[in-house]
Amino acid sequence: MPEWFQTPPGRYLLAWEQARMDEAVADLFGYYSLQLGLPELQALRRNRMPHPWLAVDSLDELKRVGPEPAEGRLPRAALLTDYAALPFPEASLDLVVLPHTLETSHDPHTTLREVERVLVPDGRVVISCFNPTSLWGARQRRARLYQRLGGGSLYLPGAGDFLGYLRLRDWLRLLSFEVETAHFGCYRPAVDSETWLRRFEWMDAAGERWWPIFGAAYFLVAVKRVRGMHLLGPAWKQARRPVGVPVPAVNRQHRTHPGRGATPFESEGN
């Protein structure tokens, strides 16, 4: 993965993802943020949370954590850990960024479940992945077929398994995540040289309009939802009606008219 990002298509993809990351995390607020893997991508440089962290799962990645760039900032510390067992308590992080992390993880579903554990309610997860349903994905599948026949080389990194957008969205839904935004990008053909990538620059604008879901990579932001619980009484139980208070009637004596006797109605009150 790190060597591939030094190639012309790798730099092209990295520039697109960097722009999407800067746009997505700029207005996300909280206290603690975490990036899992890919130190070459400064995913948290535009975020203003006071406690950013970077976690890697190998010593090679830890060595690639370079000095602080002039245009941004690195997380305050780099951690060496297993993505499926993060050293953070439950509901302690406000933002977690996964740049191609699920594709290289040995257990992507467990990694995603661990991210759900450490996120606070309404916390965000930002994910970027290769899109297998694209021109780049088609060339990768053809290259794998050629390798089985004894020849050819891969176009994309060979480590891990690429996750389709619909598959990842189903995983997020099972973990009570709600996808807020999703973007596809990098519509240029699967070529190797910088010259040919520049010649097909017009395909980025055309792809966003005519075939938006066939970009070489996709990017999404999801929020962790915690459903509230409201206790209801039994359906057969009805509210009691207030019982009327009896009011005593007062007997009133009516004065009889002169010249005639009193009738029963005039001598007793109603």
Side-chain angles (χ1 to χ4, degrees):
M1 184 74 74
E3 290 79 9
W4 183 86
F5 277 107
Q6 301 301 322
T7 63
R11 292 193 297 268
Y12 161 58
L13 176 64
L14 194 64
W16 179 83
E17 291 185 343
Q18 186 68 69
R20 300 285 79 76
M21 288 287 180
D22 293 344
E23 180 183 356
V25 305
D27 296 329
L28 298 181
F29 300 97
Y31 294 97
Y32 300 97
S33 57
L34 173 68
Q35 175 182 343
L36 294 182
L38 196 60
E40 291 80 5
L41 183 66
Q42 299 295 320
L44 301 174
R45 71 179 186 179
R46 293 290 183 265
N47 186 255
R48 288 171 284 181
M49 295 186 187
H51 304 287
W53 301 82
L54 171 65
V56 295
D57 63 348
S58 67
L59 290 176
D60 293 336
E61 279 192 320
L62 192 61
K63 295 176 182 179
R64 298 202 312 269
V65 179
E68 181 177 349
E71 68 277 5
R73 63 190 181 97
L74 281 175
R76 60 178 298 181
L79 309 175
L80 181 61
T81 182
D82 185 0
Y83 296 156
L86 298 176
F88 295 95
E90 183 178 353
S92 59
L93 302 179
D94 301 282
L95 170 64
V96 179
V97 182
L98 307 176
H100 298 279
T101 307
L102 297 178
E103 299 165 321
T104 58
S105 175
H106 63 277
D107 193 346
H109 195 273
T110 303
T111 300
L112 196 60
R113 186 180 295 276
E114 186 70 0
V115 170
E116 188 274 337
R117 181 188 69 83
V118 299
L119 274 177
V120 300
D122 292 336
R124 263 72 174 181
V125 58
V126 181
I127 304 174
S128 63
C129 293
F130 288 105
N131 183 16
T133 311
S134 63
L135 295 177
W136 293 21
R139 178 169 175 176
Q140 183 79 352
R141 290 191 296 271
R142 186 185 64 179
R144 290 189 183 276
L145 178 60
Y146 287 166
Q147 282 190 339
R148 294 174 185 173
L149 299 177
S153 60
L154 297 177
Y155 180 72
L156 298 176
D161 184 22
F162 299 155
L163 301 174
Y165 171 73
L166 296 179
R167 181 183 178 188
L168 179 57
R169 190 180 65 178
D170 290 340
W171 286 7
L172 291 170
R173 187 177 301 172
L174 290 175
L175 294 175
S176 300
F177 281 100
E178 179 182 336
V179 177
E180 285 188 329
T181 59
H183 301 280
F184 290 80
C186 299
Y187 298 95
R188 304 179 197 183
V191 294
D192 297 311
S193 67
E194 186 77 25
T195 302
W196 281 104
L197 283 173
R198 292 179 180 176
R199 290 181 179 179
F200 288 104
E201 185 177 358
W202 59 272
M203 293 188 65
D204 285 334
E208 291 181 1
R209 181 174 182 180
W210 299 109
W211 53 90
I213 63 174
F214 297 112
Y218 63 90
F219 172 92
L220 62 85
V221 180
V223 57
K224 175 183 174 180
R225 299 298 188 189
V226 178
R227 307 300 178 185
M229 183 172 56
H230 180 65
L231 298 178
L232 300 177
W236 49 265
K237 189 175 181 180
Q238 298 180 356
R240 296 181 178 180
R241 296 181 178 179
V243 180
V245 179
V247 179
V250 180
N251 294 329
R252 293 178 298 175
Q253 297 292 334
H254 294 272
R255 184 178 299 177
T256 58
H257 294 279
R260 65 183 180 90
T263 63
F265 294 99
E266 295 175 342
S267 60
E268 295 181 1
N270 293 337

